[in-house]
Coordinates of all heavy atoms in Angstrom, one line a residue:
M1 N 13.5 -6.6 4.8 CA 12.1 -6.1 4.7 C 12.2 -4.6 4.3 O 12.5 -3.7 5.1 CB 11.5 -6.2 6.0 CG 10.0 -6.0 6.0 SD 9.3 -5.9 7.6 CE 9.7 -7.6 8.3
P2 N 11.8 -4.2 3.1 CA 11.8 -2.8 2.7 C 10.6 -2.0 3.4 O 9.6 -2.6 3.6 CB 11.5 -2.9 1.2 CG 10.8 -4.1 0.9 CD 11.2 -5.1 2.1
S3 N 11.0 -0.9 3.8 CA 9.9 -0.1 4.4 C 9.6 1.1 3.5 O 10.5 1.8 3.1 CB 10.4 0.4 5.8 OG 11.5 1.3 5.7
L4 N 8.4 1.3 3.2 CA 7.9 2.4 2.4 C 7.4 3.5 3.2 O 6.7 3.3 4.2 CB 6.9 1.8 1.4 CG 7.4 0.7 0.5 CD1 6.2 0.0 -0.2 CD2 8.3 1.3 -0.6
H5 N 7.6 4.7 2.7 CA 7.1 5.9 3.4 C 6.2 6.6 2.5 O 6.5 6.9 1.3 CB 8.3 6.8 3.8 CG 9.2 6.1 4.7 ND1 9.0 6.0 6.1 CD2 10.4 5.5 4.5 CE1 10.0 5.3 6.6 NE2 10.8 5.0 5.7
M6 N 5.0 6.9 3.0 CA 4.0 7.6 2.2 C 4.4 9.0 1.8 O 4.1 9.5 0.8 CB 2.7 7.7 2.9 CG 2.1 6.4 3.3 SD 1.3 5.5 1.9 CE -0.2 6.4 1.8
S7 N 5.2 9.6 2.7 CA 5.4 11.0 2.6 C 6.3 11.4 1.4 O 7.5 11.4 1.5 CB 6.1 11.6 3.9 OG 7.2 10.8 4.2
G8 N 5.7 11.7 0.3 CA 6.4 12.3 -0.8 C 7.3 11.4 -1.6 O 7.9 11.8 -2.5
Q9 N 7.2 10.1 -1.3 CA 8.1 9.2 -2.0 C 7.4 8.8 -3.3 O 6.3 8.3 -3.4 CB 8.4 7.9 -1.2 CG 9.3 7.0 -2.0 CD 9.8 5.9 -1.1 OE1 9.9 6.0 0.1 NE2 10.2 4.8 -1.7
K10 N 8.2 9.0 -4.4 CA 7.7 8.6 -5.7 C 8.1 7.2 -6.0 O 9.3 6.9 -6.0 CB 8.2 9.6 -6.8 CG 7.2 10.7 -7.2 CD 6.1 10.2 -8.0 CE 5.3 11.4 -8.5 NZ 4.1 11.0 -9.2
I11 N 7.2 6.4 -6.3 CA 7.5 5.0 -6.8 C 7.6 5.0 -8.3 O 6.8 5.6 -9.0 CB 6.4 4.1 -6.3 CG1 6.2 4.0 -4.8 CG2 6.6 2.6 -6.8 CD1 5.1 3.2 -4.3
D12 N 8.6 4.3 -8.7 CA 8.8 4.1 -10.1 C 7.6 3.3 -10.7 O 7.4 2.2 -10.3 CB 10.1 3.4 -10.4 CG 10.4 3.3 -11.9 OD1 9.5 3.5 -12.7 OD2 11.6 3.0 -12.2
R13 N 6.9 3.9 -11.6 CA 5.7 3.3 -12.1 C 6.0 2.0 -12.9 O 5.1 1.2 -13.1 CB 4.9 4.3 -13.0 CG 4.5 5.5 -12.2 CD 3.8 6.5 -13.0 NE 2.5 6.0 -13.5 CZ 2.2 6.0 -14.8 NH1 2.9 6.5 -15.7 NH2 1.0 5.5 -15.2
N14 N 7.2 1.8 -13.4 CA 7.6 0.6 -14.1 C 8.2 -0.4 -13.2 O 8.6 -1.5 -13.6 CB 8.5 0.9 -15.2 CG 7.7 1.7 -16.3 OD1 6.7 1.2 -16.8 ND2 8.2 2.8 -16.7
A15 N 8.4 0.0 -11.9 CA 9.0 -1.0 -10.9 C 7.9 -1.9 -10.5 O 6.7 -1.6 -10.5 CB 9.6 -0.2 -9.8
P16 N 8.4 -3.1 -10.0 CA 7.4 -4.0 -9.4 C 6.6 -3.4 -8.3 O 7.1 -2.6 -7.5 CB 8.2 -5.2 -8.9 CG 9.5 -5.1 -9.6 CD 9.7 -3.6 -9.9
C17 N 5.3 -3.7 -8.2 CA 4.5 -3.1 -7.2 C 4.9 -3.5 -5.8 O 5.4 -4.6 -5.6 CB 3.0 -3.6 -7.4 SG 1.9 -2.8 -6.3
W18 N 4.7 -2.6 -4.8 CA 5.0 -2.9 -3.4 C 4.3 -4.0 -2.8 O 4.6 -4.5 -1.8 CB 4.9 -1.6 -2.6 CG 3.5 -0.9 -2.8 CD1 3.2 0.1 -3.6 CD2 2.3 -1.3 -2.2 NE1 1.8 0.4 -3.5 CE2 1.3 -0.4 -2.6 CE3 1.9 -2.3 -1.2 CZ2 -0.1 -0.5 -2.2 CZ3 0.6 -2.3 -0.8 CH2 -0.4 -1.5 -1.3
C19 N 3.1 -4.4 -3.4 CA 2.3 -5.4 -2.8 C 2.9 -6.9 -3.0 O 2.4 -7.8 -2.4 CB 0.9 -5.4 -3.3 SG 0.7 -6.0 -5.0
G20 N 3.9 -6.9 -3.9 CA 4.5 -8.3 -4.1 C 3.8 -9.1 -5.1 O 4.0 -10.3 -5.3
S21 N 2.9 -8.5 -5.9 CA 2.2 -9.3 -6.9 C 3.0 -9.6 -8.1 O 2.7 -10.6 -8.9 CB 1.0 -8.4 -7.4 OG 1.4 -7.3 -8.2
G22 N 4.1 -8.9 -8.3 CA 5.0 -9.1 -9.4 C 4.6 -8.3 -10.6 O 5.3 -8.3 -11.7
K23 N 3.5 -7.6 -10.6 CA 3.1 -6.8 -11.7 C 3.8 -5.4 -11.5 O 4.3 -5.1 -10.5 CB 1.6 -6.4 -11.6 CG 0.7 -7.6 -11.8 CD -0.7 -7.2 -11.7 CE -1.7 -8.3 -11.6 NZ -3.1 -7.8 -11.3
K24 N 3.8 -4.7 -12.6 CA 4.4 -3.3 -12.6 C 3.4 -2.5 -11.7 O 2.2 -2.6 -11.8 CB 4.5 -2.7 -13.9 CG 5.7 -3.3 -14.7 CD 5.8 -2.7 -16.1 CE 6.9 -3.4 -16.9 NZ 7.1 -2.8 -18.2
Y25 N 4.0 -1.6 -11.0 CA 3.2 -0.7 -10.1 C 2.1 0.0 -10.9 O 1.0 0.1 -10.4 CB 4.1 0.3 -9.5 CG 3.5 1.4 -8.7 CD1 2.7 1.0 -7.5 CD2 3.5 2.7 -8.9 CE1 2.1 1.9 -6.7 CE2 2.9 3.6 -8.1 CZ 2.2 3.2 -7.1 OH 1.6 4.2 -6.3
K26 N 2.4 0.5 -12.1 CA 1.4 1.2 -12.9 C 0.2 0.4 -13.3 O -0.9 0.8 -13.6 CB 2.0 1.9 -14.1 CG 2.5 0.9 -15.1 CD 3.1 1.6 -16.3 CE 3.6 0.6 -17.4 NZ 4.2 1.3 -18.5
N27 N 0.4 -0.9 -13.3 CA -0.6 -1.9 -13.7 C -1.3 -2.5 -12.5 O -2.2 -3.4 -12.7 CB 0.0 -3.0 -14.6 CG 0.4 -2.5 -16.0 OD1 -0.2 -1.5 -16.5 ND2 1.5 -3.0 -16.5
C28 N -0.8 -2.1 -11.3 CA -1.4 -2.8 -10.1 C -1.9 -1.8 -9.2 O -3.1 -1.4 -9.3 CB -0.2 -3.6 -9.5 SG -0.8 -4.7 -8.2
H29 N -1.2 -1.3 -8.3 CA -1.7 -0.5 -7.2 C -1.5 1.1 -7.4 O -1.8 1.8 -6.4 CB -1.0 -0.9 -5.9 CG -1.7 -2.0 -5.2 ND1 -1.4 -3.3 -5.5 CD2 -2.7 -2.0 -4.2 CE1 -2.2 -4.1 -4.7 NE2 -3.0 -3.3 -4.0
E30 N -1.1 1.5 -8.6 CA -1.0 2.9 -8.7 C -2.3 3.6 -8.5 O -2.4 4.6 -7.7 CB -0.5 3.3 -10.1 CG -0.2 4.8 -10.2 CD 0.1 5.2 -11.6 OE1 -0.3 4.5 -12.6 OE2 0.8 6.2 -11.8
E31 N -3.3 3.1 -9.1 CA -4.7 3.8 -8.9 C -5.1 3.7 -7.5 O -5.7 4.7 -6.9 CB -5.7 3.0 -9.8 CG -7.0 3.8 -10.0 CD -7.9 3.0 -10.9 OE1 -7.4 2.2 -11.7 OE2 -9.1 3.2 -10.7
F32 N -4.9 2.6 -6.8 CA -5.2 2.4 -5.4 C -4.5 3.4 -4.6 O -5.1 4.0 -3.7 CB -4.7 0.9 -5.0 CG -4.9 0.6 -3.6 CD1 -6.1 0.0 -3.2 CD2 -3.8 0.7 -2.7 CE1 -6.2 -0.3 -1.8 CE2 -4.0 0.4 -1.4 CZ -5.2 -0.2 -1.0
D33 N -3.2 3.6 -4.8 CA -2.4 4.6 -4.1 C -3.0 6.0 -4.3 O -3.1 6.8 -3.4 CB -1.0 4.6 -4.4 CG -0.3 3.5 -3.7 OD1 -0.9 2.9 -2.8 OD2 0.9 3.3 -4.0
E34 N -3.4 6.3 -5.5 CA -3.9 7.6 -5.8 C -5.2 7.8 -5.0 O -5.5 8.9 -4.5 CB -4.2 7.7 -7.3 CG -3.0 7.8 -8.2 CD -2.1 9.0 -7.8 OE1 -2.7 10.1 -7.6 OE2 -0.9 8.9 -7.8
K35 N -6.0 6.8 -4.9 CA -7.3 6.9 -4.1 C -6.9 7.2 -2.6 O -7.6 8.0 -2.0 CB -8.1 5.6 -4.2 CG -8.8 5.6 -5.5 CD -9.6 4.3 -5.6 CE -10.2 4.2 -7.0 NZ -10.8 2.8 -7.2
L36 N -6.0 6.4 -2.1 CA -5.6 6.6 -0.7 C -5.1 8.0 -0.5 O -5.5 8.7 0.5 CB -4.5 5.6 -0.3 CG -4.8 4.2 0.0 CD1 -3.6 3.5 0.6 CD2 -6.0 4.1 0.9
R37 N -4.3 8.5 -1.4 CA -3.8 9.9 -1.3 C -4.9 10.9 -1.3 O -5.0 11.8 -0.5 CB -2.8 10.2 -2.4 CG -1.9 11.4 -2.1 CD -1.1 11.8 -3.3 NE -0.8 10.7 -4.3 CZ 0.4 10.3 -4.6 NH1 1.4 10.9 -4.1 NH2 0.5 9.4 -5.5
A38 N -5.9 10.7 -2.2 CA -7.1 11.6 -2.3 C -7.8 11.5 -0.9 O -8.2 12.6 -0.4 CB -8.0 11.1 -3.4
Y39 N -8.0 10.4 -0.4 CA -8.7 10.3 0.9 C -7.9 11.0 2.0 O -8.5 11.7 2.8 CB -8.8 8.8 1.3 CG -10.1 8.1 0.7 CD1 -9.9 7.0 -0.1 CD2 -11.3 8.7 1.0 CE1 -11.1 6.4 -0.6 CE2 -12.4 8.1 0.4 CZ -12.3 6.9 -0.4 OH -13.4 6.4 -0.9
A40 N -6.6 10.7 2.0 CA -5.7 11.4 3.0 C -5.8 12.9 2.9 O -5.8 13.6 4.0 CB -4.3 10.9 2.9
L41 N -5.9 13.4 1.7 CA -6.0 14.9 1.6 C -7.3 15.4 2.1 O -7.4 16.6 2.5 CB -5.8 15.2 0.1 CG -4.4 15.1 -0.5 CD1 -4.4 15.3 -2.0 CD2 -3.4 16.1 0.2
K42 N -8.3 14.5 2.1 CA -9.6 15.0 2.5 C -9.7 14.9 4.1 O -10.7 15.2 4.6 CB -10.7 14.2 1.9 CG -10.9 14.5 0.4 CD -11.9 13.6 -0.2 CE -12.1 13.9 -1.7 NZ -12.9 12.9 -2.3
G43 N -8.7 14.3 4.6 CA -8.6 14.2 6.1 C -9.1 12.9 6.6 O -9.3 12.7 7.8
F44 N -9.3 11.9 5.7 CA -9.7 10.6 6.2 C -8.5 9.8 6.7 O -7.4 10.0 6.3 CB -10.3 9.7 5.0 CG -11.7 10.2 4.6 CD1 -11.8 11.0 3.5 CD2 -12.8 9.8 5.3 CE1 -13.1 11.5 3.1 CE2 -14.1 10.2 4.9 CZ -14.2 11.0 3.8
Y45 N -8.8 8.9 7.6 CA -7.7 8.0 8.1 C -7.4 7.0 7.0 O -8.3 6.4 6.5 CB -8.2 7.3 9.4 CG -7.2 6.2 9.7 CD1 -6.0 6.5 10.2 CD2 -7.6 4.8 9.6 CE1 -5.1 5.5 10.5 CE2 -6.7 3.8 9.9 CZ -5.4 4.2 10.4 OH -4.5 3.2 10.7
V46 N -6.2 6.9 6.7 CA -5.7 5.9 5.7 C -4.8 4.9 6.4 O -3.8 5.3 6.9 CB -5.0 6.7 4.6 CG1 -4.4 5.6 3.5 CG2 -5.9 7.7 3.9
P47 N -5.2 3.6 6.3 CA -4.3 2.6 6.9 C -3.0 2.5 6.2 O -2.9 2.7 5.0 CB -5.1 1.3 6.7 CG -6.1 1.6 5.5 CD -6.3 3.1 5.6
D48 N -2.0 2.1 7.0 CA -0.7 2.0 6.4 C -0.7 0.8 5.4 O -1.4 -0.2 5.6 CB 0.3 1.7 7.6 CG 1.7 1.8 7.1 OD1 2.3 2.9 7.0 OD2 2.3 0.8 6.8
R49 N 0.2 0.9 4.4 CA 0.2 -0.1 3.4 C 0.6 -1.5 4.1 O 0.2 -2.5 3.7 CB 1.4 0.2 2.4 CG 0.9 1.2 1.4 CD 2.1 1.4 0.5 NE 1.9 2.5 -0.5 CZ 2.8 3.2 -1.0 NH1 4.1 3.0 -0.7 NH2 2.5 4.1 -1.9
S50 N 1.5 -1.4 5.1 CA 2.0 -2.7 5.7 C 0.8 -3.4 6.3 O 0.8 -4.6 6.4 CB 3.1 -2.4 6.7 OG 2.5 -1.5 7.7
L51 N -0.2 -2.7 6.8 CA -1.4 -3.3 7.3 C -2.2 -4.0 6.2 O -2.7 -5.1 6.4 CB -2.3 -2.3 8.0 CG -1.7 -1.6 9.3 CD1 -2.6 -0.6 9.8 CD2 -1.3 -2.7 10.3
I52 N -2.3 -3.3 5.1 CA -3.0 -3.9 4.0 C -2.3 -5.1 3.5 O -2.9 -6.2 3.2 CB -3.1 -2.8 2.8 CG1 -3.8 -1.6 3.3 CG2 -3.8 -3.4 1.6 CD1 -3.7 -0.4 2.4
K53 N -1.0 -5.0 3.3 CA -0.2 -6.1 2.7 C -0.2 -7.3 3.6 O -0.2 -8.4 3.1 CB 1.2 -5.6 2.6 CG 2.1 -6.5 1.8 CD 3.5 -5.8 1.6 CE 4.4 -6.7 0.9 NZ 5.7 -6.1 0.7
T54 N -0.1 -7.2 4.9 CA 0.0 -8.3 5.8 C -1.4 -8.8 6.3 O -1.4 -9.5 7.3 CB 0.9 -8.0 7.0 OG1 0.4 -6.9 7.7 CG2 2.3 -7.7 6.5
E55 N -2.4 -8.4 5.6 CA -3.8 -8.8 6.0 C -3.9 -10.3 6.2 O -3.6 -11.0 5.3 CB -4.7 -8.2 5.0 CG -6.2 -8.5 5.3 CD -7.0 -8.0 4.2 OE1 -6.5 -7.4 3.2 OE2 -8.3 -8.2 4.2
G56 N -4.4 -10.7 7.3 CA -4.6 -12.1 7.5 C -3.4 -13.0 7.8 O -3.5 -14.2 7.7
R57 N -2.3 -12.3 8.1 CA -1.1 -13.1 8.4 C -0.8 -13.0 9.9 O 0.4 -13.2 10.2 CB 0.0 -12.5 7.6 CG 0.0 -13.0 6.2 CD 1.1 -12.4 5.3 NE 2.4 -12.8 5.8 CZ 3.6 -12.3 5.4 NH1 3.6 -11.3 4.5 NH2 4.7 -12.6 5.9
S58 N -1.7 -12.7 10.7 CA -1.4 -12.5 12.1 C -1.6 -13.8 12.9 O -1.6 -13.8 14.1 CB -2.3 -11.4 12.7 OG -3.6 -11.7 12.5
K59 N -1.7 -14.9 12.2 CA -1.9 -16.2 12.9 C -0.6 -16.6 13.6 O 0.5 -16.3 13.1 CB -2.3 -17.3 11.9 CG -3.7 -17.2 11.4 CD -4.0 -18.4 10.5 CE -5.2 -18.1 9.7 NZ -5.3 -19.0 8.6
G60 N -0.7 -17.3 14.7 CA 0.4 -17.9 15.3 C 1.3 -16.9 16.1 O 2.4 -17.2 16.5
S61 N 0.7 -15.7 16.3 CA 1.5 -14.7 17.1 C 1.0 -14.8 18.6 O 1.1 -13.7 19.2 CB 1.3 -13.3 16.5 OG -0.1 -13.0 16.4
G62 N 0.5 -15.9 19.0 CA 0.1 -16.0 20.4 C -1.4 -15.8 20.5 O -2.1 -15.3 19.7
R63 N -1.9 -16.4 21.6 CA -3.3 -16.3 21.9 C -3.6 -15.4 23.0 O -2.9 -15.3 24.0 CB -3.9 -17.7 22.2 CG -3.8 -18.6 21.1 CD -4.0 -20.0 21.6 NE -3.7 -21.0 20.5 CZ -4.5 -21.9 20.1 NH1 -5.6 -22.1 20.7 NH2 -4.1 -22.8 19.2
A64 N -4.7 -14.6 22.8 CA -5.2 -13.7 23.9 C -6.1 -14.5 24.8 O -7.3 -14.5 24.7 CB -5.8 -12.5 23.4
L65 N -5.5 -15.3 25.7 CA -6.2 -16.2 26.6 C -7.3 -17.1 25.9 O -8.4 -16.8 26.0 CB -6.9 -15.3 27.7 CG -7.1 -16.1 29.0 CD1 -6.1 -15.7 30.0 CD2 -8.5 -15.9 29.6
Ligands
ZN101 ZN1 0.0 -4.1 -6.2

């Protein structure tokens, strides 16, 4: 499981996107990441990518009563 760090890491724009879509990063989430970065610079809370990526996959992890 690769772990990505927001802090200053440059993603190769021709590499497959971190979201697992199989598209090149520049054709997929590059713009998305730029927006997140802009929000973060303005002081907004930005959710971690891993939260975005695993959205809706929390089934079967136990029931809260
Ligand atoms: Zn993507």
Side-chain angles (χ1 to χ4, degrees):
M1 193 191 299
S3 63
L4 298 164
H5 300 280
M6 298 286 280
S7 53
Q9 178 166 341
K10 263 285 188 187
I11 299 178
D12 185 344
R13 298 176 66 231
N14 289 305
C17 186
W18 51 261
C19 76
S21 68
K23 296 180 195 173
K24 289 181 181 179
Y25 176 61
K26 67 179 180 182
N27 291 328
C28 191
H29 273 86
E30 185 187 27
E31 195 178 335
F32 177 87
D33 277 354
E34 290 299 322
K35 283 179 188 169
L36 281 192
R37 197 188 334 238
Y39 276 123
L41 286 173
K42 289 175 186 170
F44 287 97
Y45 169 72
V46 176
D48 191 85
R49 281 177 186 158
S50 61
L51 295 179
I52 300 167
K53 190 175 175 181
T54 57
E55 180 182 359
R57 279 178 64 190
S58 55
K59 285 182 199 165
S61 59
R63 293 167 191 233
L65 203 106

